[in-house]
Amino acid sequence: MRRASTLASSVLSRTLSSTLQDCSGLSTTSAATINHRFLHAALLSTTSTGSSNTRRIFNPFSTYLGVAGALVSAAAAASLSQEVLAKEPPPAELVPKEVVLYQYEACPFCNKVKAYLDYYDIPYKVVEVNPISKKEIKWSDYKKVPILLVDGEQLVDSSAIIDKLGNKIHGKEIVDSASDKDDDEEKKWRRWVDNHLVHVLSPNIYRNTSEALESFDYITSNGNFSFTERITVKYAGAVAMYFVSKNLKKKYNITDERAALYEAVETWVDALNGREFLGGSKPNLADLAVFGVLRPIRYLRSGRDMVEQTRIGDWYTRMENAVGESSRMKA
């Protein structure tokens, strides 16, 4: 039993350290710091090794702490009351023959890529990565998600994936057609999504134990877990992420989670400046990025509060209409 506990501690510790970066946007140093602190804070047992005592963890909850920034994926699109906007599929000859997304279902960055694929009606397959073994991506030197394979070519990092895929399916003619002003605005708000918006999400969906359990109920139901992992991670993971969210609040100077979320989405609505989308009459890449990272929380308590307490609802509904049904291929 002692050997099993030690082995589990080692595996889960490495998992926590690496997967905290996979989809949360944390730097290597930050992830390592959080890993160190929470492995010790959550200590369950002490075992003797030789003449010294070495602390060991046998905590299944660390299995899915890689979803620190990873949130709960949205349910199927709600019934839409507005007229559905036309999607923008690329010319048939430019559509990749095979697109495969390696992801965590609840990851906001993965959902950002999916929003892009869905909007442009690009068929894609999904491979759900097990956050412990990561056996699904052992073939790759890159050990984070999302990873997108496009006709055999590996693309990594959500924003870079979208840029490179856009060049493939649109060509330089469309990319160069935007004005410098529009291009600068789009880039500014895409950076804002990656550098600010995603960081206010985790403290909100894990702000108390009931909301953390709500989140992990979905995560464990849809993630790539064994039966045992699914049972243990739901409860222990919810407790762990509650404490991790407090650490993230300090890191990003957040005092009131909901206020920070409301302020962020109100800032986005102000940026629209009366337009249907930041892109004008149709979504641009910034619209898709904001929609993608918010989509996982929309039907959680935090997302419901967000829509009820801010002006984001109308824009969000327009985005649901514009993006439409998923182009994900059935397994």
Side-chain angles (χ1 to χ4, degrees), residues 224-284:
N224 187 0
F225 293 104
S226 69
F227 176 78
T228 302
E229 291 168 346
R230 187 177 301 117
I231 297 301
T232 55
V233 166
K234 175 179 177 179
Y235 295 99
V239 172
M241 285 309 301
Y242 168 78
F243 288 106
V244 169
S245 71
K246 303 310 174 188
N247 183 284
L248 293 174
K249 283 180 62 177
K250 292 179 182 178
K251 175 179 174 62
Y252 296 109
N253 298 316
I254 298 172
T255 55
D256 184 317
E257 303 96 329
R258 284 295 196 268
L261 176 62
Y262 298 163
E263 181 181 4
V265 297
E266 288 287 359
T267 298
W268 170 250
V269 174
D270 287 340
L272 298 176
N273 195 26
R275 294 169 289 183
E276 290 190 350
F277 306 102
L278 192 75
S281 60
K282 60 185 180 181
N284 64 12

Short mmCIF file of all heavy atoms in Angstrom, two decimals, residues 224-284:
data_model
loop_
_atom_site.label_atom_id
_atom_site.label_comp_id
_atom_site.label_asym_id
_atom_site.label_seq_id
_atom_site.Cartn_x
_atom_site.Cartn_y
_atom_site.Cartn_z
N ASN A 224 -12.35 12.43 -19.94
CA ASN A 224 -11.87 11.08 -20.21
C ASN A 224 -11.31 10.47 -18.93
O ASN A 224 -10.12 10.50 -18.66
CB ASN A 224 -10.79 11.13 -21.30
CG ASN A 224 -10.37 9.74 -21.75
OD1 ASN A 224 -10.87 8.73 -21.26
ND2 ASN A 224 -9.43 9.68 -22.68
N PHE A 225 -12.21 9.90 -18.09
CA PHE A 225 -11.83 9.34 -16.81
C PHE A 225 -12.24 7.88 -16.74
O PHE A 225 -13.23 7.47 -17.35
CB PHE A 225 -12.53 10.07 -15.67
CG PHE A 225 -12.10 11.50 -15.47
CD1 PHE A 225 -12.92 12.53 -15.90
CD2 PHE A 225 -10.91 11.80 -14.86
CE1 PHE A 225 -12.54 13.84 -15.72
CE2 PHE A 225 -10.52 13.10 -14.67
CZ PHE A 225 -11.33 14.13 -15.10
N SER A 226 -11.52 7.13 -15.92
CA SER A 226 -11.98 5.80 -15.57
C SER A 226 -13.12 5.94 -14.56
O SER A 226 -13.37 7.02 -14.03
CB SER A 226 -10.84 4.99 -14.94
OG SER A 226 -10.52 5.52 -13.65
N PHE A 227 -13.82 4.85 -14.29
CA PHE A 227 -14.94 4.90 -13.36
C PHE A 227 -14.48 5.38 -11.97
O PHE A 227 -15.10 6.24 -11.35
CB PHE A 227 -15.59 3.51 -13.24
CG PHE A 227 -16.69 3.46 -12.21
CD1 PHE A 227 -17.95 3.97 -12.50
CD2 PHE A 227 -16.45 2.90 -10.96
CE1 PHE A 227 -18.96 3.93 -11.55
CE2 PHE A 227 -17.46 2.86 -10.01
CZ PHE A 227 -18.71 3.38 -10.31
N THR A 228 -13.36 4.84 -11.51
CA THR A 228 -12.85 5.22 -10.19
C THR A 228 -12.46 6.69 -10.15
O THR A 228 -12.78 7.41 -9.19
CB THR A 228 -11.64 4.35 -9.82
OG1 THR A 228 -12.02 2.98 -9.83
CG2 THR A 228 -11.10 4.73 -8.44
N GLU A 229 -11.77 7.13 -11.18
CA GLU A 229 -11.38 8.54 -11.24
C GLU A 229 -12.61 9.44 -11.24
O GLU A 229 -12.63 10.49 -10.59
CB GLU A 229 -10.55 8.79 -12.50
CG GLU A 229 -9.17 8.16 -12.47
CD GLU A 229 -8.50 8.18 -13.83
OE1 GLU A 229 -9.18 8.44 -14.85
OE2 GLU A 229 -7.29 7.93 -13.87
N ARG A 230 -13.63 9.04 -11.98
CA ARG A 230 -14.83 9.86 -12.09
C ARG A 230 -15.49 10.08 -10.73
O ARG A 230 -15.91 11.19 -10.39
CB ARG A 230 -15.82 9.20 -13.05
CG ARG A 230 -17.04 10.05 -13.37
CD ARG A 230 -17.94 9.37 -14.39
NE ARG A 230 -17.22 9.09 -15.63
CZ ARG A 230 -16.99 7.89 -16.12
NH1 ARG A 230 -17.44 6.81 -15.48
NH2 ARG A 230 -16.33 7.73 -17.24
N ILE A 231 -15.55 9.03 -9.93
CA ILE A 231 -16.20 9.13 -8.64
C ILE A 231 -15.40 10.00 -7.68
O ILE A 231 -15.93 10.88 -6.99
CB ILE A 231 -16.40 7.72 -8.02
CG1 ILE A 231 -17.32 6.89 -8.92
CG2 ILE A 231 -16.96 7.84 -6.61
CD1 ILE A 231 -18.69 7.47 -9.13
N THR A 232 -14.11 9.74 -7.60
CA THR A 232 -13.28 10.46 -6.62
C THR A 232 -13.01 11.90 -7.01
O THR A 232 -12.98 12.79 -6.16
CB THR A 232 -11.94 9.73 -6.44
OG1 THR A 232 -11.29 9.57 -7.70
CG2 THR A 232 -12.14 8.38 -5.80
N VAL A 233 -12.81 12.14 -8.30
CA VAL A 233 -12.46 13.49 -8.74
C VAL A 233 -13.59 14.48 -8.54
O VAL A 233 -13.36 15.64 -8.21
CB VAL A 233 -12.02 13.46 -10.23
CG1 VAL A 233 -11.98 14.86 -10.81
CG2 VAL A 233 -10.66 12.81 -10.35
N LYS A 234 -14.82 14.03 -8.71
CA LYS A 234 -15.95 14.95 -8.60
C LYS A 234 -15.94 15.68 -7.26
O LYS A 234 -16.09 16.90 -7.21
CB LYS A 234 -17.28 14.20 -8.78
CG LYS A 234 -18.49 15.09 -8.56
CD LYS A 234 -19.79 14.33 -8.75
CE LYS A 234 -20.98 15.23 -8.45
NZ LYS A 234 -22.28 14.53 -8.65
N TYR A 235 -15.75 14.94 -6.17
CA TYR A 235 -15.85 15.56 -4.86
C TYR A 235 -14.53 16.14 -4.37
O TYR A 235 -14.47 17.30 -3.94
CB TYR A 235 -16.40 14.53 -3.86
CG TYR A 235 -17.82 14.13 -4.20
CD1 TYR A 235 -18.08 12.95 -4.90
CD2 TYR A 235 -18.88 14.95 -3.88
CE1 TYR A 235 -19.38 12.59 -5.24
CE2 TYR A 235 -20.18 14.61 -4.22
CZ TYR A 235 -20.42 13.44 -4.90
OH TYR A 235 -21.70 13.10 -5.25
N ALA A 236 -13.47 15.34 -4.45
CA ALA A 236 -12.18 15.84 -4.00
C ALA A 236 -11.69 16.97 -4.90
O ALA A 236 -11.08 17.94 -4.45
CB ALA A 236 -11.15 14.71 -3.97
N GLY A 237 -11.96 16.85 -6.21
CA GLY A 237 -11.55 17.89 -7.14
C GLY A 237 -12.26 19.19 -6.90
O GLY A 237 -11.67 20.28 -7.00
N ALA A 238 -13.54 19.13 -6.58
CA ALA A 238 -14.30 20.35 -6.31
C ALA A 238 -13.73 21.09 -5.11
O ALA A 238 -13.58 22.32 -5.12
CB ALA A 238 -15.77 20.00 -6.08
N VAL A 239 -13.39 20.33 -4.06
CA VAL A 239 -12.81 20.95 -2.87
C VAL A 239 -11.46 21.57 -3.21
O VAL A 239 -11.16 22.72 -2.82
CB VAL A 239 -12.65 19.91 -1.74
CG1 VAL A 239 -11.87 20.49 -0.57
CG2 VAL A 239 -14.02 19.42 -1.29
N ALA A 240 -10.63 20.82 -3.94
CA ALA A 240 -9.30 21.32 -4.29
C ALA A 240 -9.38 22.58 -5.13
O ALA A 240 -8.67 23.56 -4.89
CB ALA A 240 -8.53 20.24 -5.04
N MET A 241 -10.27 22.58 -6.11
CA MET A 241 -10.36 23.74 -7.00
C MET A 241 -10.93 24.95 -6.29
O MET A 241 -10.65 26.09 -6.66
CB MET A 241 -11.18 23.39 -8.23
CG MET A 241 -10.44 22.51 -9.23
SD MET A 241 -8.81 23.16 -9.68
CE MET A 241 -9.26 24.75 -10.37
N TYR A 242 -11.72 24.73 -5.28
CA TYR A 242 -12.20 25.85 -4.47
C TYR A 242 -11.00 26.60 -3.89
O TYR A 242 -10.95 27.83 -3.92
CB TYR A 242 -13.11 25.33 -3.35
CG TYR A 242 -13.42 26.35 -2.29
CD1 TYR A 242 -14.37 27.35 -2.52
CD2 TYR A 242 -12.75 26.33 -1.07
CE1 TYR A 242 -14.66 28.30 -1.54
CE2 TYR A 242 -13.03 27.27 -0.09
CZ TYR A 242 -13.98 28.25 -0.33
OH TYR A 242 -14.25 29.20 0.64
N PHE A 243 -10.01 25.85 -3.36
CA PHE A 243 -8.83 26.49 -2.78
C PHE A 243 -7.91 27.06 -3.86
O PHE A 243 -7.31 28.12 -3.68
CB PHE A 243 -8.09 25.49 -1.89
CG PHE A 243 -8.81 25.19 -0.61
CD1 PHE A 243 -9.45 23.97 -0.43
CD2 PHE A 243 -8.88 26.12 0.40
CE1 PHE A 243 -10.14 23.69 0.74
CE2 PHE A 243 -9.56 25.86 1.58
CZ PHE A 243 -10.19 24.64 1.75
N VAL A 244 -7.80 26.36 -4.98
CA VAL A 244 -6.99 26.88 -6.08
C VAL A 244 -7.56 28.21 -6.57
O VAL A 244 -6.82 29.15 -6.88
CB VAL A 244 -6.91 25.87 -7.24
CG1 VAL A 244 -6.31 26.51 -8.49
CG2 VAL A 244 -6.07 24.66 -6.83
N SER A 245 -8.89 28.32 -6.63
CA SER A 245 -9.51 29.55 -7.11
C SER A 245 -9.16 30.72 -6.20
O SER A 245 -9.01 31.86 -6.66
CB SER A 245 -11.03 29.38 -7.21
OG SER A 245 -11.62 29.31 -5.92
N LYS A 246 -9.00 30.45 -4.89
CA LYS A 246 -8.61 31.52 -3.98
C LYS A 246 -7.19 31.99 -4.28
O LYS A 246 -6.87 33.18 -4.19
CB LYS A 246 -8.71 31.03 -2.53
CG LYS A 246 -10.09 30.51 -2.13
CD LYS A 246 -11.19 31.49 -2.49
CE LYS A 246 -12.57 30.91 -2.23
NZ LYS A 246 -13.65 31.80 -2.76
N ASN A 247 -6.34 31.03 -4.64
CA ASN A 247 -4.97 31.39 -5.02
C ASN A 247 -4.96 32.24 -6.29
O ASN A 247 -4.22 33.22 -6.40
CB ASN A 247 -4.15 30.11 -5.23
CG ASN A 247 -2.70 30.38 -5.55
OD1 ASN A 247 -2.38 30.74 -6.67
ND2 ASN A 247 -1.83 30.18 -4.58
N LEU A 248 -5.82 31.87 -7.24
CA LEU A 248 -5.89 32.63 -8.49
C LEU A 248 -6.43 34.04 -8.24
O LEU A 248 -6.02 35.00 -8.91
CB LEU A 248 -6.77 31.90 -9.49
CG LEU A 248 -6.22 30.56 -10.00
CD1 LEU A 248 -7.26 29.86 -10.88
CD2 LEU A 248 -4.94 30.78 -10.79
N LYS A 249 -7.34 34.18 -7.29
CA LYS A 249 -7.84 35.51 -6.95
C LYS A 249 -6.69 36.41 -6.50
O LYS A 249 -6.61 37.58 -6.90
CB LYS A 249 -8.88 35.42 -5.84
CG LYS A 249 -10.25 34.96 -6.28
CD LYS A 249 -11.22 34.91 -5.11
CE LYS A 249 -11.43 36.27 -4.48
NZ LYS A 249 -12.42 36.22 -3.38
N LYS A 250 -5.82 35.88 -5.66
CA LYS A 250 -4.68 36.66 -5.19
C LYS A 250 -3.73 36.97 -6.33
O LYS A 250 -3.23 38.09 -6.45
CB LYS A 250 -3.95 35.89 -4.09
CG LYS A 250 -4.75 35.73 -2.80
CD LYS A 250 -3.97 34.94 -1.76
CE LYS A 250 -4.79 34.75 -0.49
NZ LYS A 250 -4.04 33.94 0.53
N LYS A 251 -3.49 35.97 -7.16
CA LYS A 251 -2.54 36.16 -8.26
C LYS A 251 -2.97 37.27 -9.20
O LYS A 251 -2.15 38.07 -9.67
CB LYS A 251 -2.39 34.84 -9.04
CG LYS A 251 -1.51 34.93 -10.29
CD LYS A 251 -1.42 33.59 -10.97
CE LYS A 251 -0.66 33.69 -12.30
NZ LYS A 251 0.72 34.15 -12.13
N TYR A 252 -4.28 37.35 -9.47
CA TYR A 252 -4.77 38.34 -10.43
C TYR A 252 -5.49 39.50 -9.75
O TYR A 252 -6.22 40.25 -10.40
CB TYR A 252 -5.69 37.65 -11.45
CG TYR A 252 -4.95 36.63 -12.28
CD1 TYR A 252 -5.17 35.26 -12.11
CD2 TYR A 252 -3.99 37.04 -13.21
CE1 TYR A 252 -4.46 34.33 -12.87
CE2 TYR A 252 -3.29 36.11 -13.96
CZ TYR A 252 -3.53 34.75 -13.78
OH TYR A 252 -2.84 33.83 -14.52
N ASN A 253 -5.24 39.68 -8.44
CA ASN A 253 -5.76 40.82 -7.69
C ASN A 253 -7.28 40.96 -7.81
O ASN A 253 -7.80 42.05 -8.04
CB ASN A 253 -5.07 42.11 -8.16
CG ASN A 253 -3.58 42.10 -7.91
OD1 ASN A 253 -3.13 41.70 -6.85
ND2 ASN A 253 -2.81 42.52 -8.91
N ILE A 254 -7.97 39.85 -7.66
CA ILE A 254 -9.43 39.85 -7.71
C ILE A 254 -9.96 39.81 -6.28
O ILE A 254 -9.63 38.91 -5.52
CB ILE A 254 -9.96 38.64 -8.50
CG1 ILE A 254 -9.47 38.70 -9.95
CG2 ILE A 254 -11.48 38.57 -8.45
CD1 ILE A 254 -9.77 37.43 -10.75
N THR A 255 -10.78 40.79 -5.92
CA THR A 255 -11.35 40.81 -4.57
C THR A 255 -12.77 40.25 -4.57
O THR A 255 -13.17 39.54 -3.65
CB THR A 255 -11.35 42.23 -4.00
OG1 THR A 255 -12.02 43.11 -4.91
CG2 THR A 255 -9.92 42.72 -3.79
N ASP A 256 -13.54 40.58 -5.59
CA ASP A 256 -14.92 40.11 -5.71
C ASP A 256 -15.06 39.41 -7.05
O ASP A 256 -14.98 40.05 -8.11
CB ASP A 256 -15.89 41.28 -5.61
CG ASP A 256 -17.36 40.85 -5.62
OD1 ASP A 256 -17.72 39.98 -6.43
OD2 ASP A 256 -18.15 41.41 -4.82
N GLU A 257 -15.26 38.08 -7.02
CA GLU A 257 -15.27 37.31 -8.27
C GLU A 257 -16.35 37.77 -9.24
O GLU A 257 -16.08 38.01 -10.41
CB GLU A 257 -15.51 35.82 -7.97
CG GLU A 257 -14.51 35.18 -7.04
CD GLU A 257 -15.01 35.17 -5.60
OE1 GLU A 257 -15.75 36.10 -5.24
OE2 GLU A 257 -14.64 34.25 -4.85
N ARG A 258 -17.57 37.89 -8.73
CA ARG A 258 -18.67 38.26 -9.61
C ARG A 258 -18.48 39.67 -10.16
O ARG A 258 -18.72 39.92 -11.35
CB ARG A 258 -20.00 38.16 -8.87
CG ARG A 258 -20.52 36.76 -8.67
CD ARG A 258 -20.86 36.08 -10.00
NE ARG A 258 -21.69 34.92 -9.80
CZ ARG A 258 -21.23 33.68 -9.66
NH1 ARG A 258 -19.92 33.45 -9.69
NH2 ARG A 258 -22.07 32.67 -9.48
N ALA A 259 -18.04 40.57 -9.30
CA ALA A 259 -17.82 41.95 -9.76
C ALA A 259 -16.78 41.98 -10.87
O ALA A 259 -16.93 42.73 -11.86
CB ALA A 259 -17.39 42.84 -8.60
N ALA A 260 -15.74 41.16 -10.74
CA ALA A 260 -14.69 41.13 -11.77
C ALA A 260 -15.24 40.57 -13.08
O ALA A 260 -14.91 41.07 -14.16
CB ALA A 260 -13.52 40.27 -11.29
N LEU A 261 -16.09 39.53 -12.98
CA LEU A 261 -16.70 38.96 -14.18
C LEU A 261 -17.63 39.96 -14.84
O LEU A 261 -17.58 40.16 -16.07
CB LEU A 261 -17.46 37.69 -13.81
CG LEU A 261 -18.24 37.01 -14.94
CD1 LEU A 261 -17.30 36.56 -16.05
CD2 LEU A 261 -19.05 35.83 -14.39
N TYR A 262 -18.48 40.59 -14.05
CA TYR A 262 -19.43 41.56 -14.60
C TYR A 262 -18.68 42.74 -15.26
O TYR A 262 -19.06 43.21 -16.34
CB TYR A 262 -20.35 42.10 -13.50
CG TYR A 262 -21.22 41.07 -12.83
CD1 TYR A 262 -21.83 41.32 -11.60
CD2 TYR A 262 -21.44 39.81 -13.41
CE1 TYR A 262 -22.63 40.37 -10.98
CE2 TYR A 262 -22.24 38.86 -12.80
CZ TYR A 262 -22.83 39.15 -11.58
OH TYR A 262 -23.62 38.21 -10.96
N GLU A 263 -17.63 43.20 -14.58
CA GLU A 263 -16.86 44.31 -15.13
C GLU A 263 -16.22 43.92 -16.47
O GLU A 263 -16.19 44.72 -17.42
CB GLU A 263 -15.78 44.75 -14.15
CG GLU A 263 -14.93 45.92 -14.64
CD GLU A 263 -13.84 46.32 -13.67
OE1 GLU A 263 -13.67 45.63 -12.63
OE2 GLU A 263 -13.13 47.30 -13.94
N ALA A 264 -15.71 42.70 -16.53
CA ALA A 264 -15.06 42.25 -17.76
C ALA A 264 -16.04 42.21 -18.93
O ALA A 264 -15.75 42.71 -20.02
CB ALA A 264 -14.43 40.87 -17.55
N VAL A 265 -17.21 41.61 -18.72
CA VAL A 265 -18.15 41.49 -19.84
C VAL A 265 -18.78 42.84 -20.19
O VAL A 265 -19.09 43.11 -21.35
CB VAL A 265 -19.23 40.43 -19.57
CG1 VAL A 265 -18.59 39.06 -19.42
CG2 VAL A 265 -20.08 40.76 -18.36
N GLU A 266 -18.94 43.72 -19.20
CA GLU A 266 -19.43 45.07 -19.50
C GLU A 266 -18.39 45.84 -20.31
O GLU A 266 -18.73 46.62 -21.21
CB GLU A 266 -19.75 45.83 -18.20
CG GLU A 266 -21.00 45.35 -17.48
CD GLU A 266 -22.29 45.74 -18.19
OE1 GLU A 266 -22.22 46.41 -19.25
OE2 GLU A 266 -23.37 45.38 -17.71
N THR A 267 -17.12 45.61 -20.01
CA THR A 267 -16.06 46.23 -20.81
C THR A 267 -16.15 45.77 -22.26
O THR A 267 -15.97 46.57 -23.19
CB THR A 267 -14.68 45.85 -20.22
OG1 THR A 267 -14.58 46.37 -18.89
CG2 THR A 267 -13.54 46.41 -21.08
N TRP A 268 -16.45 44.50 -22.45
CA TRP A 268 -16.61 43.97 -23.81
C TRP A 268 -17.81 44.60 -24.51
O TRP A 268 -17.72 45.00 -25.68
CB TRP A 268 -16.75 42.45 -23.75
CG TRP A 268 -17.15 41.84 -25.07
CD1 TRP A 268 -18.34 41.26 -25.38
CD2 TRP A 268 -16.35 41.76 -26.26
NE1 TRP A 268 -18.34 40.83 -26.69
CE2 TRP A 268 -17.14 41.12 -27.24
CE3 TRP A 268 -15.07 42.17 -26.57
CZ2 TRP A 268 -16.66 40.88 -28.53
CZ3 TRP A 268 -14.59 41.93 -27.86
CH2 TRP A 268 -15.38 41.29 -28.82
N VAL A 269 -18.92 44.71 -23.80
CA VAL A 269 -20.11 45.31 -24.41
C VAL A 269 -19.83 46.77 -24.78
O VAL A 269 -20.26 47.23 -25.85
CB VAL A 269 -21.32 45.21 -23.45
CG1 VAL A 269 -22.53 45.98 -24.02
CG2 VAL A 269 -21.71 43.75 -23.22
N ASP A 270 -19.11 47.48 -23.93
CA ASP A 270 -18.74 48.86 -24.26
C ASP A 270 -17.90 48.91 -25.54
O ASP A 270 -18.05 49.82 -26.36
CB ASP A 270 -17.96 49.49 -23.11
CG ASP A 270 -18.84 49.83 -21.91
OD1 ASP A 270 -20.07 49.93 -22.08
OD2 ASP A 270 -18.29 49.98 -20.80
N ALA A 271 -17.03 47.92 -25.71
CA ALA A 271 -16.17 47.88 -26.90
C ALA A 271 -16.99 47.70 -28.17
O ALA A 271 -16.58 48.16 -29.25
CB ALA A 271 -15.14 46.77 -26.77
N LEU A 272 -18.14 47.03 -28.06
CA LEU A 272 -19.00 46.85 -29.23
C LEU A 272 -19.52 48.19 -29.75
O LEU A 272 -19.77 48.35 -30.95
CB LEU A 272 -20.19 45.94 -28.89
CG LEU A 272 -19.84 44.51 -28.47
CD1 LEU A 272 -21.12 43.77 -28.05
CD2 LEU A 272 -19.14 43.76 -29.59
N ASN A 273 -19.71 49.14 -28.83
CA ASN A 273 -20.10 50.50 -29.21
C ASN A 273 -21.34 50.52 -30.10
O ASN A 273 -21.39 51.22 -31.12
CB ASN A 273 -18.93 51.20 -29.91
CG ASN A 273 -19.12 52.71 -30.00
OD1 ASN A 273 -19.83 53.30 -29.18
ND2 ASN A 273 -18.51 53.33 -31.00
N GLY A 274 -22.34 49.73 -29.71
CA GLY A 274 -23.60 49.73 -30.46
C GLY A 274 -23.63 48.80 -31.65
O GLY A 274 -24.69 48.63 -32.29
N ARG A 275 -22.51 48.20 -32.00
CA ARG A 275 -22.47 47.28 -33.13
C ARG A 275 -23.02 45.91 -32.73
O ARG A 275 -22.96 45.53 -31.58
CB ARG A 275 -21.04 47.12 -33.64
CG ARG A 275 -20.44 48.38 -34.24
CD ARG A 275 -18.93 48.22 -34.48
NE ARG A 275 -18.18 48.21 -33.23
CZ ARG A 275 -16.84 48.14 -33.16
NH1 ARG A 275 -16.13 48.06 -34.29
NH2 ARG A 275 -16.25 48.16 -31.99
N GLU A 276 -23.54 45.18 -33.71
CA GLU A 276 -24.01 43.82 -33.41
C GLU A 276 -22.86 42.94 -32.94
O GLU A 276 -23.02 42.13 -32.02
CB GLU A 276 -24.66 43.21 -34.65
CG GLU A 276 -26.00 43.84 -35.02
CD GLU A 276 -26.71 43.03 -36.09
OE1 GLU A 276 -26.08 42.11 -36.66
OE2 GLU A 276 -27.89 43.30 -36.33
N PHE A 277 -21.72 43.10 -33.58
CA PHE A 277 -20.52 42.35 -33.24
C PHE A 277 -19.34 43.32 -33.30
O PHE A 277 -19.43 44.39 -33.91
CB PHE A 277 -20.27 41.20 -34.22
CG PHE A 277 -21.46 40.28 -34.38
CD1 PHE A 277 -22.29 40.37 -35.48
CD2 PHE A 277 -21.74 39.32 -33.42
CE1 PHE A 277 -23.37 39.53 -35.64
CE2 PHE A 277 -22.83 38.46 -33.56
CZ PHE A 277 -23.65 38.57 -34.67
N LEU A 278 -18.23 42.93 -32.69
CA LEU A 278 -17.04 43.76 -32.81
C LEU A 278 -16.64 43.87 -34.28
O LEU A 278 -16.12 44.89 -34.73
CB LEU A 278 -15.88 43.19 -32.00
CG LEU A 278 -14.69 44.14 -31.84
CD1 LEU A 278 -15.02 45.22 -30.82
CD2 LEU A 278 -13.43 43.39 -31.38
N GLY A 279 -16.91 42.80 -35.03
CA GLY A 279 -16.62 42.79 -36.46
C GLY A 279 -17.63 43.55 -37.30
O GLY A 279 -17.53 43.55 -38.53
N GLY A 280 -18.63 44.15 -36.67
CA GLY A 280 -19.65 44.90 -37.41
C GLY A 280 -20.92 44.08 -37.59
O GLY A 280 -21.59 43.73 -36.63
N SER A 281 -21.21 43.76 -38.84
CA SER A 281 -22.43 43.00 -39.13
C SER A 281 -22.24 41.49 -38.95
O SER A 281 -23.20 40.73 -39.01
CB SER A 281 -22.90 43.29 -40.56
OG SER A 281 -21.89 42.92 -41.50
N LYS A 282 -21.01 41.06 -38.76
CA LYS A 282 -20.72 39.65 -38.56
C LYS A 282 -19.55 39.50 -37.59
O LYS A 282 -18.73 40.42 -37.45
CB LYS A 282 -20.42 38.94 -39.88
CG LYS A 282 -19.23 39.50 -40.64
CD LYS A 282 -19.09 38.81 -42.00
CE LYS A 282 -17.89 39.39 -42.76
NZ LYS A 282 -17.76 38.73 -44.09
N PRO A 283 -19.44 38.38 -36.93
CA PRO A 283 -18.38 38.20 -35.92
C PRO A 283 -16.98 38.21 -36.56
O PRO A 283 -16.78 37.73 -37.67
CB PRO A 283 -18.68 36.82 -35.32
CG PRO A 283 -20.11 36.55 -35.66
CD PRO A 283 -20.35 37.22 -36.97
N ASN A 284 -16.04 38.77 -35.81
CA ASN A 284 -14.64 38.61 -36.20
C ASN A 284 -13.96 37.68 -35.20
O ASN A 284 -14.63 37.04 -34.37
CB ASN A 284 -13.93 39.97 -36.31
CG ASN A 284 -13.85 40.71 -34.97
OD1 ASN A 284 -14.11 40.15 -33.90
ND2 ASN A 284 -13.48 41.98 -35.02
#
